[in-house]
């Protein structure tokens, strides 16, 4: 017998520690070579740690949410005879900013998901926090695989539907313990399992109150919480909301989409970003960052437009570099590319770093007004609210027009109320007369 110490490798330039966001093993488990041990997170990149040896897990470095220093022992594995390495494996640093796909993303078959181990009920809360595939994502797959793991038997994959798998997860049922007829596990098999074990037939339709659930705030969710707390503590926010008539803009967008050919479909965002970048040169204190420790404001010539995006892991902000150089069509393509990268966990650290200004939009769910939180060191951010049809007077006549509010939040240490108000007014002729944007 020998003990192999798996040390946390260098997972990014300048990174001193990483957070444990998930364990896939526990003390006493038998692990095979290349088996996934843990998910570690630094900044916004989650990296999977795999075992270089086979053996039995002897000890773990900490719990989910703990910070582990680079180079410290993450897992101790007891190996047997020839399985023990002659020397500790050389640690190979991972690519800086590389976004490691989740296990579901690594599957070669787009319609089948291989589950080599039974679903562990105690990990359901952790999966929700760490951004593993959601129930909605599971529903997009036509089928998924579970395991039938009788004591001492060889693990044989069995088929079940995403709905059955999701229900089993919600109820805390290990699919490997469910007896079934035929090759599929069905809802009736779950019902029989629950009745046999004194449970209820349906966890959602029984009418019984659900038990309280405590979820540890870890990983990206914790970083979001820390960043928002720091932003509100450090920055004296003020917000200004202005209404815009987007009737002509929506008509122009619809016309361009009808004739777009191979171009991506246009949303409002490319138009609004174009209006913003054309207005910034006259308001350099808006597209700026503030180092409050050095007491230095940097006015940026280029616009690195942050784009707040909701992902299964939480809020992320991919960045469009030098947005002022891109056409409306190019902006649309970059928005689509970065949004997809963020949602699938493939965005690099470079694509998630150092915006000079941020725009966020909840589309039709955006409400009529909002007070977006500024992410330091930026000094301003804008939120796009929903488009509504309103009856408004136009040249003495009542007309139905499409109206939309923009909510601008500013750091009052750098931006004055007059600056914010005149900035929004300077946007009006561009947004309300889209031909100016296309000129």
């Amino acid at each position: 017998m020998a003990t192999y110490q798996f040390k946390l490798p260098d997972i990014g330039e300048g990174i001193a520690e990483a957070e444990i966001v998930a364990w896939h093993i526990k003390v006493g488990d038998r692990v095979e070579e290349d088996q996934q041990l843990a998910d570690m997170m630094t900044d916004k990149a989650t990296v999977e740690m795999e075992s270089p040896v086979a053996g039995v897990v002897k000890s773990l470095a900490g719990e989910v949410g703990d910070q582990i220093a680079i180079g410290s022992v993450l897992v101790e594995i007891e190996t047997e005879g020839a399985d023990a390495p002659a020397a500790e494996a050389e640690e190979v640093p991972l690519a800086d900013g590389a976004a490691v796909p989740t296990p579901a993303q690594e599957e070669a078959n787009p319609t089948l998901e291989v589950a080599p181990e039974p679903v562990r009920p105690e990990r359901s809360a952790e999966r929700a926090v760490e951004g593993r595939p959601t129930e909605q994502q599971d529903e997009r797959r036509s089928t998924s695989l579970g395991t039938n793991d009788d004591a001492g038997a060889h693990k044989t994959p069995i088929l079940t539907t995403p709905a059955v798998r999701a229900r089993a997860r919600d109820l805390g049922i290990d699919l490997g313990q469910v007896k079934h007829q035929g090759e599929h596990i069905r809802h009736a098999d779950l019902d029989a399992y629950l009745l046999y074990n004194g449970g209820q037939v349906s966890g959602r339709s029984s009418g019984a109150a659900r038990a309280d659930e405590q979820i540890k705030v870890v990983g990206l969710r914790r970083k979001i919480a820390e960043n928002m707390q720091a932003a509100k503590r450090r920055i004296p926010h003020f917000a200004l909301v202005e209404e815009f008539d987007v009737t002509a803009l929506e008509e122009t967008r619809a016309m361009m989409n009808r004739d777009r050919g191979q171009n991506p479909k246009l949303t409002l965002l490319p138009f609004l970003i174009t209006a913003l970048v054309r207005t910034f040169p006259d308001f350099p204190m808006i597209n700026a960052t503030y180092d409050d420790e050095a007491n230095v404001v940097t006015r940026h010539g280029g616009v690195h437009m942050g784009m707040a995006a909701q992902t299964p892991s939480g809020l992320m902000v991919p960045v469009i570099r030098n947005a002022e150089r891109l056409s409306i069509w190019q902006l649309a393509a970059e928005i689509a590319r970065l949004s997809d990268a963020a949602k699938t966990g493939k965005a690099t650290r470079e694509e998630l770093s150092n915006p000079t200004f941020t725009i966020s939009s909840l589309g039709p769910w955006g409400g009529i007004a909002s007070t977006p939180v500024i992410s330091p060191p930026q000094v301003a951010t804008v939120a796009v609210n929903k488009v509504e049809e309103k009856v408004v007077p136009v040249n003495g006549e009542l007309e139905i027009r499409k109206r939309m509010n923009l909510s601008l939040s500013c750091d009052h240490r750098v931006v004055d109320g007059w600056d914010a108000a005149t900035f929004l007014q300077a946007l009006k002729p561009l947004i309300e007369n889209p031909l100016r944007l296309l000129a």
Side-chain angles (χ1 to χ4, degrees):
M1 292 289 187
T3 299
Y4 178 81
Q5 293 185 330
F6 177 77
K7 296 182 179 180
L8 183 62
D10 182 2
I11 55 178
E13 182 180 353
I15 300 301
E17 60 183 9
E19 178 184 352
I20 304 171
V21 293
W23 282 114
H24 299 289
I25 55 171
K26 62 181 181 296
V27 173
D29 280 357
R30 171 77 187 181
V31 298
E32 302 300 329
E33 187 175 347
D34 297 328
Q35 181 175 332
Q36 191 174 351
L37 302 175
D39 292 345
M40 306 298 296
M41 179 175 174
T42 174
D43 294 334
K44 294 183 177 71
T46 300
V47 180
E48 296 174 359
M49 298 290 114
E50 297 179 345
S51 177
V53 298
V56 177
V57 178
K58 187 175 180 182
S59 68
L60 306 178
E63 299 179 351
V64 170
D66 289 350
Q67 299 284 342
I68 305 298
I70 300 299
S72 61
V73 177
L74 183 65
V75 181
E76 287 188 327
I77 301 173
E78 191 173 76
T79 60
E80 300 177 1
D83 290 338
E88 188 169 300
E90 180 182 358
E91 296 176 354
V92 180
L94 299 174
D96 182 26
V100 178
T102 64
Q105 294 166 341
E106 289 181 341
E107 297 305 329
N109 190 326
T111 60
L112 293 178
E113 180 180 356
V114 177
E117 296 181 1
V119 176
R120 295 175 182 167
E122 66 272 18
R123 282 184 41 76
S124 60
E126 294 174 19
R127 287 172 64 90
V129 172
E130 71 192 27
R132 316 309 279 175
T134 62
E135 180 176 324
Q136 289 80 7
Q137 289 170 315
D138 282 340
E139 292 294 345
R140 296 190 188 109
R141 302 175 184 274
S142 61
T143 58
S144 60
L145 292 176
T147 59
N148 183 16
D149 190 11
D150 295 330
H154 178 71
K155 293 183 179 180
T156 304
I158 53 176
L159 290 170
T160 185
T161 66
V164 170
R165 181 168 179 254
R167 182 182 172 207
R169 184 188 303 122
D170 289 343
L171 295 173
I173 296 176
D174 182 347
L175 288 175
Q177 303 300 317
V178 177
K179 295 184 182 297
H180 58 95
Q181 299 293 328
E183 61 180 3
H184 294 92
I185 290 182
R186 307 179 187 278
H187 284 287
D189 299 318
L190 295 185
D191 294 344
Y193 177 88
L194 289 167
L195 290 172
Y196 180 80
N197 288 280
Q200 295 180 342
V201 172
S202 174
R204 288 186 174 180
S205 60
S206 63
R210 296 177 68 97
D212 293 345
E213 182 181 11
Q214 291 186 332
I215 299 176
K216 193 169 184 178
V217 180
V218 300
L220 181 59
R221 188 73 259 170
R222 182 167 78 174
K223 290 188 179 296
I224 292 171
E226 292 172 349
N227 291 342
M228 293 300 100
Q229 183 179 27
K232 295 297 287 186
R233 183 175 62 247
R234 292 170 55 185
I235 299 176
H237 286 64
F238 78 89
L240 191 62
V241 181
E242 182 59 88
E243 187 178 52
F244 294 78
D245 190 316
V246 294
T247 306
L249 180 56
E250 285 288 68
E251 291 172 351
T252 301
R253 184 172 72 89
M255 178 191 66
M256 294 176 69
N257 276 332
R258 285 194 299 268
D259 302 325
R260 63 191 174 98
Q262 299 300 315
N263 290 311
K265 187 175 181 179
L266 293 171
T267 65
L268 275 176
L269 276 184
F271 295 94
L272 298 178
I273 291 173
T274 300
L276 287 166
V277 300
R278 292 193 183 181
T279 308
F280 283 147
D282 293 329
F283 297 86
M285 295 301 281
I286 302 290
N287 183 45
T289 53
Y290 179 36
D291 184 342
D292 52 8
E293 293 184 0
N295 208 26
V296 173
V297 174
T298 301
R299 298 177 174 183
H300 297 280
V303 181
H304 304 314
M305 183 66 67
M307 183 180 58
Q310 192 64 33
T311 75
S313 302
L315 182 67
M316 303 183 81
V317 185
V319 181
I320 303 172
R321 299 289 169 196
N322 296 111
E324 76 282 0
R325 300 177 183 175
L326 303 180
S327 69
I328 287 177
W329 292 114
Q330 290 170 328
L331 283 169
E334 190 68 354
I335 289 169
R337 185 188 71 81
L338 288 171
S339 296
D340 181 69
K343 291 176 182 178
T344 58
K346 296 178 181 178
T348 65
R349 184 176 290 111
E350 173 66 18
E351 291 171 332
L352 296 169
S353 301
N354 303 321
T356 60
F357 186 89
T358 295
I359 186 171
S360 61
S361 174
L362 293 176
W365 300 278
I368 59 174
S370 52
T371 54
V373 178
I374 304 164
S375 179
Q378 297 169 74
V379 300
T381 183
V382 71
V384 182
N385 300 292
K386 65 182 179 181
V387 175
E388 290 186 306
E389 288 189 341
K390 294 183 178 181
V391 178
V392 296
V394 179
N395 298 324
E397 301 287 338
L398 293 180
E399 292 187 13
I400 297 177
R401 308 288 293 180
K402 292 184 177 181
R403 312 282 283 190
M404 179 194 70
N405 292 339
L406 289 183
S407 300
L408 178 68
S409 289
C410 297
D411 184 339
H412 218 328
R413 298 172 300 178
V414 178
V415 182
D416 295 329
W418 173 261
D419 298 324
T422 53
F423 175 74
L424 287 175
Q425 292 306 314
L427 284 173
K428 266 187 175 290
L430 294 174
I431 292 175
E432 296 186 348
N433 299 281
L435 291 180
R436 293 174 179 263
L437 295 177
L438 302 174

